[in-house]
Amino acid sequence: MADSTAASLGSSSGGPKDSKDAETKTSPESHVALQRWFIGSIDQGTTSSRFLIFDGTGTPVASHQVEFKQMYPHPGWHEHDPMELVSSVEACVAKATEDFVRLGHDVSEIKAIGITNQRETTVLWDTHTGEPLCNAIVWPDTRTTGLVRELKDRPRAAGLQDQCGLPLSTYPSSVKVLWLLRHDEQVRKAYEEARLSFGTVDTWLLYRLNGATERDVHVTDATNASRTMFLNLYSLQYDDALLDFFQLQRSKIRLPRVVPSSDSDAFGAMAAGPLRGVKITGCLGDQSSALVGQCALAPGLAKNTYGTGCFLLYNVGEEPVISQHGLLATVAYAWGGERKPVYALEGSIAVAGSGVQFLRTNLGFIEESAQISELAATVPDNGGVVFVTAFSGLFAPYWIDDAKGTIFGITQHTQRGHIARATLEATCFQTKAILDAMEKDSGHRLRALAVDGGMSNSDLCMQTQADLIGIPVDRPAMRETTALGAAIAAGFAIDMWKELDELKEINRSDRTIFQPAMPPHTRDDKFRRWERAVEMAKGWVEASEKAAPDSSSCTS
């Protein structure tokens, strides 16, 4: 059951000024002043790019979104055109800025830009020309399944997670780079000639938006670097032992310099377009950005983002926690200077909104993704149907790479609405599994779960989530929290805000709380059925599917 009320998930502390106890209230005069400051935020996601312009109170005043092509050249493969990622961002910046000016503003009022991006997605380009050598391999791509199994048999494989926080899987950038080195002739040649540049999407965008070879800005922030398996989680520097494990020579591959998430100089400035000369001063991987945008800045706070995939981050404070229950250790944010980095436990679900997209695009159940709740509401329950949406295997906390998407419980009674409900429930069940693992790793149970992302717009989905996890689900009225997080990082670098306490009032009004209404015994029965379905979804990948198709198809 949903209540519209302001949620209190705990006070924020630490951060740029380490203000621990102040109960800062924004004065009316300060509030008016903040409404005259503006920050741009580039939000480059898995299926679309966006540019939003926020005022200093965290309110979006202009935005534009552009979808781009998704390429699936073989089963399990997922690629993007690196140049289309850049052009889609540039188009969004131009249109949103045009709308901003139409509202009576001047571009000079936009003081800085932040970037947030899909993580792990891997781009390789020629250092000399600045041109991509192949399509980007997107984070849920599973072509590396066979390679990952090979790597798990290498000496020292078991100890990798203790150094970098991530287990060996198809998910991180490292295995994507290694696969391309083995299967793409242009990539291999560039590596041998020491002209291969690597970056995740943040690095690629920063490089191109700064003019590519003209300024040669080749950087990443710690949140993105922590998703590669190349970064030591404690030093926040590239680790030679990790690179040696993947048999990469640093003299042959150019890795981006790791910098803080909020910095007034490191990320350069826009080289062209309507915001030419405006500095880029913040950068966060999308899930870290959502954590910051939800102001979950104190240990013990968490958020769950329901996007293409679903990602639950739990703030663990200034020391990393290496999970013993199938979760990832990652950098939540790193403000730099004298301030220590903040870490998180993460549970990553490969398929969330993409499951809804599958019903729309592949099966034709709905015309628009927003219609999923309406379809699911045509039936009172799932009718016994369980959908294990393992299109890319199963991520946290299961890490089953040989699972395939599997629907159980279909009878002559089954309707499209039952499958729609089961699709929404799949994400909710996996979120419960992650929360159970987090409770074991941290020793603490969450009091409430802050949510955002496209699927969080569904009241039915969020009520289902609250019912299955047994704690309140807290949804903000303004759900652009991922873009807001990047804007906050950029704003701190230019002193728009100086203390994290100043963020307490951002996006706190008109929040909706979904209270759990399902009896515990019913919740437990449903979850046992889900776990049984997960077990039955294993082992569907045949040996023949683990071999790589002809490598010629991976070139752009």
Side-chain angles (χ1 to χ4, degrees):
M1 298 173 67
D3 302 318
S4 290
T5 183
S8 175
L9 298 184
S11 61
S12 301
S13 62
K17 294 295 183 181
D18 290 328
S19 176
K20 301 283 185 183
D21 305 310
E23 290 294 335
T24 304
K25 282 286 186 181
T26 304
S27 68
E29 296 80 7
S30 297
H31 186 85
V32 171
L34 286 171
Q35 288 178 316
R36 296 172 183 158
W37 284 63
F38 297 93
I39 297 283
S41 182
I42 294 168
D43 182 357
Q44 202 299 301
T46 308
T47 58
S48 69
S49 297
R50 306 165 72 198
F51 185 67
L52 296 89
I53 301 171
F54 292 92
D55 68 18
T57 70
T59 302
V61 296
S63 67
H64 190 67
Q65 180 174 4
V66 172
E67 293 188 353
F68 50 84
K69 186 177 180 180
Q70 308 295 312
M71 290 176 275
Y72 306 98
H74 300 284
W77 291 34
H78 190 176
E79 298 180 357
H80 289 158
D81 177 351
M83 296 307 295
E84 190 178 8
L85 298 183
V86 177
S87 64
S88 66
V89 166
E90 291 173 335
C92 289
V93 171
K95 185 61 171 65
T97 303
E98 178 184 319
D99 292 345
F100 181 72
V101 172
R102 189 179 293 117
L103 291 170
H105 299 288
D106 190 271
V107 292
S108 64
E109 297 174 33
I110 300 174
K111 304 301 182 182
I113 295 170
I115 288 181
T116 183
N117 57 282
Q118 55 170 313
R119 304 169 303 168
E120 296 93 21
T121 296
T122 297
V123 186
L124 298 175
W125 66 93
D126 189 312
T127 303
H128 297 163
T129 67
E131 297 300 314
L133 293 165
C134 58
N135 283 333
I137 298 184
V138 187
W139 58 270
D141 184 288
T142 59
R143 75 185 72 185
T144 58
T145 299
L147 172 59
V148 168
R149 292 187 173 176
E150 173 195 323
L151 293 173
K152 286 180 177 179
D153 290 334
R154 286 186 181 177
R156 298 189 294 117
L160 292 179
Q161 190 167 359
D162 292 335
Q163 295 171 275
C164 67
L166 308 181
L168 273 170
S169 72
T170 60
Y171 190 23
S173 307
S174 55
V175 295
K176 296 171 172 56
V177 173
L178 194 54
W179 190 95
L180 285 166
L181 281 169
R182 291 186 179 187
H183 296 281
D184 190 288
E185 184 178 347
Q186 291 188 66
V187 170
R188 186 165 56 251
K189 189 170 187 292
Y191 178 78
E192 293 301 332
E193 295 175 0
R195 54 180 175 83
L196 180 64
S197 284
F198 158 78
T200 44
V201 169
D202 59 312
T203 299
W204 172 243
L205 290 179
L206 287 163
Y207 177 73
R208 297 297 303 195
L209 295 176
N210 271 278
T213 56
E214 178 185 341
R215 296 179 185 167
D216 198 25
V217 174
H218 192 222
V219 297
T220 188
D221 93 299
T223 68
N224 280 292
S226 70
R227 314 301 297 185
T228 62
M229 291 193 82
F230 300 149
L231 190 83
N232 185 292
L233 202 59
Y234 299 88
S235 69
L236 299 190
Q237 298 297 321
Y238 296 118
D239 192 310
D240 286 336
L242 293 171
L243 292 168
D244 288 345
F245 177 85
F246 293 105
Q247 299 176 342
L248 293 173
Q249 298 180 42
R250 292 186 72 164
S251 61
K252 292 185 175 182
I253 184 169
R254 190 183 184 210
L255 302 175
R257 180 168 61 96
V258 182
V259 300
S261 308
S262 179
D263 193 286
S264 60
D265 296 310
F267 302 114
M270 299 291 285
L275 298 184
R276 180 178 180 180
V278 177
K279 278 190 170 186
I280 302 168
T281 59
C283 180
L284 291 160
D286 53 6
Q287 303 313 317
S288 290
S289 193
L291 189 77
V292 172
Q294 287 275 16
C295 296
L297 303 170
L301 302 185
K303 70 87 201 174
N304 202 25
T305 298
Y306 300 78
T308 301
C310 186
F311 304 89
L312 201 160
L313 264 66
Y314 178 91
N315 186 325
V316 298
E318 295 176 349
E319 295 293 334
V321 174
I322 304 300
S323 176
Q324 303 302 312
H325 298 94
L327 304 180
L328 312 178
T330 194
V331 178
Y333 51 88
W335 297 127
E338 299 299 318
R339 299 168 294 275
K340 292 184 177 180
V342 172
Y343 295 89
L345 279 171
E346 176 175 335
S348 306
I349 299 169
V351 175
S354 58
V356 176
Q357 186 180 37
F358 171 78
L359 297 188
R360 183 193 73 190
T361 306
N362 296 51
L363 301 185
F365 278 19
I366 49 180
E367 293 182 359
E368 300 291 337
S369 294
Q371 296 172 326
I372 186 68
S373 293
E374 182 180 345
L375 177 59
T378 60
V379 292
D381 53 41
N382 63 22
V385 174
V386 178
F387 188 1
V388 182
T389 51
F391 302 155
S392 301
L394 287 170
F395 284 9
Y398 304 107
W399 300 110
I400 304 171
D401 60 9
D402 62 357
K404 283 285 185 78
T406 316
I407 301 177
F408 298 96
I410 292 180
T411 68
Q412 287 183 315
H413 168 71
T414 301
Q415 301 173 31
R416 291 185 305 162
H418 295 122
I419 295 174
R421 271 192 181 262
T423 303
L424 296 177
E425 289 174 354
T427 300
C428 298
F429 280 126
Q430 289 174 85
T431 296
K432 173 176 167 50
I434 288 168
L435 280 174
D436 289 349
M438 283 187 174
E439 185 175 345
K440 293 173 184 175
D441 277 327
S442 68
H444 299 286
R445 189 169 189 263
L446 281 183
R447 301 193 306 273
L449 180 64
V451 299
D452 53 66
M455 282 179 66
S456 73
N457 293 324
S458 166
D459 287 0
L460 175 62
C461 184
M462 293 300 96
Q463 184 59 54
T464 300
Q465 187 68 88
D467 288 344
L468 290 176
I469 62 179
I471 60 175
V473 167
D474 172 13
R475 184 180 69 190
M478 199 289 290
R479 290 161 214 167
E480 307 295 350
T481 53
T482 302
L484 178 59
I488 288 171
F492 269 119
I494 61 167
D495 289 337
M496 176 179 281
W497 303 283
K498 296 182 180 180
E499 298 180 358
L500 289 183
D501 285 318
E502 297 174 48
L503 302 176
K504 285 181 178 179
E505 297 173 50
I506 288 183
N507 205 22
R508 302 310 302 173
S509 62
D510 300 321
R511 298 175 77 95
T512 301
I513 309 299
F514 295 87
Q515 299 288 352
M518 182 179 287
H521 66 88
T522 304
R523 177 170 65 244
D524 293 343
D525 288 346
K526 287 179 176 290
F527 190 63
R528 275 193 292 270
R529 180 185 286 264
W530 163 261
E531 294 278 89
R532 182 184 173 198
V534 167
E535 287 297 314
M536 296 172 70
K538 292 180 179 178
W540 286 93
V541 178
E542 300 290 345
S544 61
E545 295 179 82
K546 298 167 191 172
D550 190 289
S551 62
S552 62
S553 61
C554 70
T555 56
S556 55

